[in-house]
Amino acid sequence: MCNKVFKYISFGAAALLVVVLVVSTIAGAVYGTAVAHDAIYSSPFFVALWGVLFLFSVIYIFSTPVRRVAAALFLHLSLAVVLVGAFVTYMTAERGTLTLCEGTVPSSMFVKGDGSLVKFPFKVTLQACEVEYYEDGVSPRDYIATIAVQSLAGNGEEASLSMNKVYGRDGFRFCIFNVDNGAVTLLVSHDPWGRAITYSGYLLTVLGFLFVLVARNTQKAALTKLLYATGYPHVGFSSHRMLKMIFISLFLFGVITYFGIRRWADTGVFPVSTGAEVLMFIAWCAFLSVVFLRKNRSLALGVFCYALMCGAVSVSSGVASSGWVLPVLRTPLLPLHVITIVSSYLLIGLLAVNALVSLIVYWLKGNRERLESAALSGRAMLYFATLLLVAGIFMGAAWADIAWGRYWGWDPKEVWALITLFVCSFGFHTRSLPFMARPVVFHCFCLVAFLVMLFTFFGVNYLLGGLHSYA
């Protein structure tokens, strides 16, 4: 009986959290992000909801057979470490801004968001600052500043800052935000404990997923089965047509590769910095996937149509006329973060194609065995999609920490990536949620997860805005 109570509270808190996160992003779009932060993200109710999820999930894990599965226990406890780090950050972190002008007296304090002042144990002076432009002389390529830092004991040093290049001292971290007419605005953060705990949780969580991967060979077997199985009936789709589709896919793959290399050479940044470029990257991956899925003609056809759709939307969005890359995007973390996230989204898209084809074939032919086989393949894809999504979110958090001095800021894109992760995670818990073990329910769930992912990728950009609206 207690087990059921713990289960209902744990999964109920997770479901309620998803609802609250959805409402918070809508409230932020309608009333402003400051209102959403004050009314929801910083509210005692929101913190308490996370606390309930943390507490009852840990209790539930140790009251089920999962506690005897080392890999699963390690993974769940790693996620708990992330939540502990986030709570420590919430309780102890201090953030604000520091504006310095050339030729002024040294500063030893910064301004928090509420207007209060925080003092740090050294003095900072701006020595020089400049904006580096692209060839057009208008678009900023980077912001650069040189500061002198002097401790109270008299020891001093110089430091050079630029976008995505942080200076840290005595637990305080300085990130450049803007340069304007001989003045520089720095983002200042002080979060030595929460940041360290959270990053440890990030590392442990990725290791936990890899641990589960090694421990459960059936996941790898299912994925292999997906890639090489004969799959569904090839009604009305001959080998000759399949060869044509492969030829077209390879041709378009080559075309995208050519234009991608040209774009990379022009900007010096891997071409995934805009929504149009990301869609083209998805099409590039999908066209290549058609070759590997050639033995499963129905699934290959679905992926081929998916690739054509992404490519068409990308071209209509103006991928060829993309401008210069924003300074914050000029970092090696951009391609790592975006490629990892997009690979996850591509797998979720493939998962939806797999689910849709499976349901259609089942309803037309009534073949239960193939429906269950496709569900097995789908669970393998869902596992790897979630692993990549977790890794991509963590990379994005690290990038945000370098660019803006905080690893999580409740930006709408961040929130919806978290919502997508929550939704995907429900598909794994077949022991706790027995209905998820039913093939038809699982395939319908995959379609829902795909719709959530679509809104994360498209809807946030055009409806909710935020720091990621450039994508």
Side-chain angles (χ1 to χ4, degrees):
M1 183 63 183
C2 287
N3 248 8
K4 287 187 176 180
V5 172
F6 296 148
K7 179 179 76 172
Y8 291 147
I9 294 178
S10 299
F11 284 96
L16 179 58
L17 189 58
V18 169
V19 174
V20 171
L21 291 174
V22 171
V23 171
S24 66
T25 56
I26 296 173
V30 175
Y31 301 106
T33 55
V35 173
H37 275 264
D38 294 339
I40 300 178
Y41 301 132
S42 300
S43 67
F45 165 75
F46 191 66
V47 177
L49 184 57
W50 279 103
V52 169
L53 176 63
F54 169 82
L55 179 61
F56 283 90
S57 295
V58 171
I59 295 174
Y60 178 61
I61 289 168
F62 279 99
S63 65
T64 65
V66 172
R67 69 182 186 275
R68 294 192 291 268
V69 182
L73 181 62
F74 183 87
L75 175 60
H76 285 84
L77 292 181
S78 300
L79 292 169
V81 173
V82 174
L83 290 182
V84 171
F87 180 72
V88 173
T89 293
Y90 171 78
M91 295 298 296
T92 65
E94 297 175 305
R95 294 191 179 89
T97 59
L98 171 64
T99 300
L100 300 171
C101 299
E102 292 184 61
T104 58
V105 297
S107 178
S108 60
M109 59 184 65
F110 65 92
V111 183
K112 293 176 63 175
D114 59 5
S116 61
L117 299 176
V118 177
K119 193 171 184 178
F120 37 81
F122 46 83
K123 296 180 179 180
V124 181
T125 306
L126 177 63
Q127 293 189 322
C129 62
E130 65 173 321
V131 180
E132 182 181 296
Y133 292 97
Y134 283 102
E135 287 81 354
D136 61 3
V138 176
S139 305
R141 179 187 178 93
D142 204 354
Y143 303 122
I144 302 170
T146 302
I147 59 174
V149 182
Q150 186 175 20
S151 67
L152 300 181
N155 299 322
E157 65 176 351
E158 282 191 0
S160 177
L161 289 84
S162 59
M163 190 60 72
N164 294 309
K165 183 181 178 182
V166 180
Y167 171 74
R169 178 163 178 159
D170 298 336
F172 291 87
R173 304 175 73 249
F174 297 82
C175 309
I176 196 166
F177 180 69
N178 192 30
V179 174
D180 184 32
N181 294 326
V184 61
T185 300
L186 303 177
L187 301 175
V188 187
S189 64
H190 184 243
D191 180 28
W193 295 106
R195 183 171 173 269
I197 296 171
T198 303
Y199 272 60
S200 298
Y202 288 168
L203 177 60
L204 291 173
T205 301
V206 173
L207 292 176
F209 268 99
L210 296 177
F211 191 7
V212 173
L213 173 63
V214 173
R216 296 182 179 179
N217 293 326
T218 54
Q219 297 282 4
K220 292 186 290 185
L223 184 62
T224 303
K225 185 175 182 179
L226 166 70
L227 295 176
Y228 296 103
T230 55
Y232 313 104
H234 312 313
V235 180
F237 198 67
S238 64
S239 299
H240 181 66
R241 291 180 178 176
M242 186 67 212
L243 288 175
K244 284 185 176 180
M245 189 170 72
I246 291 175
F247 174 79
I248 295 172
S249 297
L250 290 175
F251 173 75
L252 294 176
F253 174 83
V255 171
I256 296 173
T257 301
Y258 169 75
F259 283 105
I261 292 174
R262 284 192 57 182
R263 173 69 178 160
W264 193 357
D266 290 340
T267 64
V269 178
F270 191 82
V272 287
S273 57
T274 67
E277 290 177 352
V278 171
L279 278 172
M280 192 59 74
F281 176 75
I282 293 176
W284 183 79
C285 293
F287 281 127
L288 184 62
S289 298
V290 171
V291 179
F292 292 99
L293 294 170
R294 62 188 180 277
K295 292 187 177 181
N296 191 329
R297 297 176 195 170
S298 299
L299 190 57
L301 176 61
V303 174
F304 179 75
C305 295
Y306 181 57
L308 287 177
M309 178 184 68
C310 290
V313 174
S314 176
V315 171
S316 65
S317 300
V319 66
S321 60
S322 299
W324 300 113
V325 176
L326 296 173
V328 72
L329 301 180
R330 299 188 62 82
T331 169
L333 283 173
L334 169 67
L336 291 175
H337 167 63
V338 175
I339 290 173
T340 305
I341 288 284
V342 166
S343 297
S344 170
Y345 291 171
L346 181 61
L347 278 175
I348 294 175
L350 188 61
L351 187 64
V353 172
N354 178 61
L356 187 61
V357 172
S358 302
L359 290 172
I360 291 174
V361 171
Y362 174 67
W363 289 330
L364 292 178
K365 302 293 181 179
N367 192 325
R368 183 84 184 179
E369 182 180 350
R370 291 192 180 278
L371 183 75
E372 294 175 350
S373 175
L376 178 64
S377 300
R379 293 186 198 283
M381 282 189 286
L382 180 63
Y383 173 82
F384 286 102
T386 307
L387 170 61
L388 289 169
L389 182 57
V390 168
I393 290 175
F394 291 170
M395 287 181 191
W399 180 11
D401 192 32
I402 293 173
W404 296 293
R406 75 332 177 244
Y407 56 83
W408 194 264
W410 300 110
D411 182 74
K413 182 74 83 172
E414 296 173 354
V415 174
W416 272 89
L418 184 61
I419 291 171
T420 306
L421 178 59
F422 265 108
V423 171
C424 288
S425 68
F426 281 107
F428 295 119
H429 296 86
T430 54
R431 186 190 298 272
S432 300
L433 305 173
F435 59 87
M436 279 293 179
R438 302 172 189 168
V440 173
V441 173
F442 175 75
H443 287 310
C444 292
F445 159 80
C446 293
L447 296 177
V448 172
F450 176 69
L451 293 177
V452 173
M453 180 275 288
L454 279 183
F455 188 84
T456 301
F457 186 72
F458 290 106
V460 172
N461 296 340
Y462 300 109
L463 298 177
L464 302 180
L467 291 173
H468 294 77
S469 59
Y470 56 79

